[in-house]
């Protein structure tokens, strides 16, 4: 299949209306979208991504007033978060409306919903007029895409169209919060920090036991996810000088003196975690393409978006225990 790139939202909407899949820009990462209420279209997402059917999809809506189309209940605490953070990088898991196909939710009684904050994605939702199911536009378990080029690298020969909305502004996926009644818990850290959420609704549970593939509470939490092909070692003590003859790369969250490495990525020159988040996946894509034997990565400070980045870094390194 030859993948076209377009800036025209009507081309993307035409594919959605015809039951196809299309890569769409959001503020977090690119998504691979299809019509939520068309199970055949949704099955094409799973096929293109080689995604196991036990991993449910996030449903994107244009505004909070679309929520009844997909969810059956909206507890007050969830509503408070939605009012503060939608549109934005927050997914809320709620009891599902029976109209949502089981394929979208992998048979779960709940559905993950968010209102994306990207003008191009908003235009697509308005023109299409229906909720769009979309996981990230990458092959299952691999690095998330924050540019059109990233989408093409992994899915270029598997999908027909990418809607170009420029590089993603946030750069990490949405935070997923699940509500069972008024009790919220974070299933996946993401673009909204735990501190920001707790400032609105008070303490949230975060401890989710590591899940096996048979227990898909939030498969973004499988230990190996967001993985490059190059082994990553996380270490607080990156040697200042590289070992000669070894093509190793380093991923630094802020500037530090290192020398002799085959590749060096610095995520934020002024120690800003939002900037580091924005640069995280692009830096990993570049390092992964650089023919390195190993990537040495330093951990992020364990607060704010640093927690999200540590989560992604650990999952990216989990395929290669050190
Ligand atoms: O920022 C984002 O969230 C991006 C953009 C495209 O919106 N999407 C994204 O989708 O990251 P994906 O499929 O890569 O990750 C969605 C995660 C999956 O791990 C999935 O299991 C979880 O959300 N999820 C979806 N519905 C769920 C549900 N009902 N209960 C628990 N987890 C759910
Ligand atoms: Mg994903």
């Amino acid at each position: 299949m030859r993948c076209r790139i377009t800036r025209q939202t009507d081309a993307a909407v035409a594919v959605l209306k015809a039951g196809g899949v299309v890569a769409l820009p959001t503020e977090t990462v690119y998504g691979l979208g299809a019509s939520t209420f068309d199970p055949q279209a949704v099955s094409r997402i799973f096929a293109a991504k080689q995604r196991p059917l036990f991993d449910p999809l996030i449903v994107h809506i244009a505004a909070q007033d679309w929520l009844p189309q997909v969810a059956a209940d909206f507890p007050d605490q969830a509503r408070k978060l939605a009012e503060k953070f939608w549109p934005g990088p927050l997914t809320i898991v709620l009891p599902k409306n029976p109209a949502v196909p089981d394929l979208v939710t992998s048979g779960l009684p709940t559905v993950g919903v968010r209102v994306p904050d990207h003008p191009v994605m908003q235009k697509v939702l308005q023109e299409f007029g229906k909720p769009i199911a979309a996981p990230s536009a990458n092959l299952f378990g691999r690095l998330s895409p924050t540019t059109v080029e990233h989408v093409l690298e992994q899915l270029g020969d598997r999908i027909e169209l990418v809607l170009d909305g420029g590089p993603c502004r946030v750069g990490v996926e949405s935070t997923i919060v699940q509500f069972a009644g008024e009790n919220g818990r974070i299933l996946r850290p993401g673009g909204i920090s735990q501190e920001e959420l707790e400032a609105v609704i008070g303490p949230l549970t975060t401890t989710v036991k590591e899940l096996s593939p048979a227990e898909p509470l939030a498969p973004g939490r499988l230990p190996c996810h967001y993985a490059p092909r190059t082994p990553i070692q996380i270490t607080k003590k990156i040697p200042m000088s590289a070992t000669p003859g070894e093509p190793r790369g380093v991923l630094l969250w802020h500037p530090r003196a290192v020398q002799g490495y085959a590749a060096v990525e610095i995520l934020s020159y002024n120690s800003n975690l939002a900037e580091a988040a924005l640069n995280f996946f692009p830096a990993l894509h570049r390092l992964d393409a650089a023919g390195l034997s190993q990537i040495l990565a330093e951990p992020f400070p364990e607060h704010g978006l640093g927690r999200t980045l540590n989560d992604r870094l650990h999952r990216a390194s989990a395929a290669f225990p050190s």
Side-chain angles (χ1 to χ4, degrees), residues 32 45-51 135-140 155 158:
L32 187 61
I45 295 178
F46 285 93
K49 279 187 59 105
Q50 300 178 324
R51 181 178 177 109
S136 49
N138 53 325
L139 290 170
F140 180 70
L155 299 178
R158 308 180 67 89

Side-chain angles (χ1 to χ4, degrees), residues 36-37 59 69-71 96-105 110-111:
T36 302
F37 298 123
V59 173
Q69 295 181 48
V70 293
K96 92 177 183 77
N97 179 321
V100 177
D102 284 338
L103 190 58
V104 173
T105 62
T110 54
V111 60

Side-chain angles (χ1 to χ4, degrees), residues 219-236:
R221 299 204 55 92
L222 291 175
C224 164
H225 214 95
Y226 314 105
R229 287 183 208 91
T230 317
I232 296 185
Q233 191 191 334
I234 303 170
T235 170
K236 284 188 184 145

Side-chain angles (χ1 to χ4, degrees), residues 187-222:
L187 296 184
R188 176 180 76 181
I192 306 275
S193 69
Q194 184 181 339
E195 291 89 337
E196 288 174 281
L197 296 172
E198 290 183 337
V200 178
I201 60 166
L204 281 161
T205 313
T206 54
T207 43
V208 177
K209 65 184 168 74
E210 287 300 344
L211 300 157
S212 77
E215 297 176 276
L217 196 54
R221 299 204 55 92
L222 291 175

Side-chain angles (χ1 to χ4, degrees), residues 234-258:
I234 303 170
T235 170
K236 284 188 184 145
K237 299 192 185 100
I238 295 179
M240 197 171 106
S241 301
T243 317
E246 261 192 62
R248 294 204 289 184
V250 288
L251 181 68
L252 298 172
W253 99 263
H254 59 176
R256 219 145 68 61
V258 289

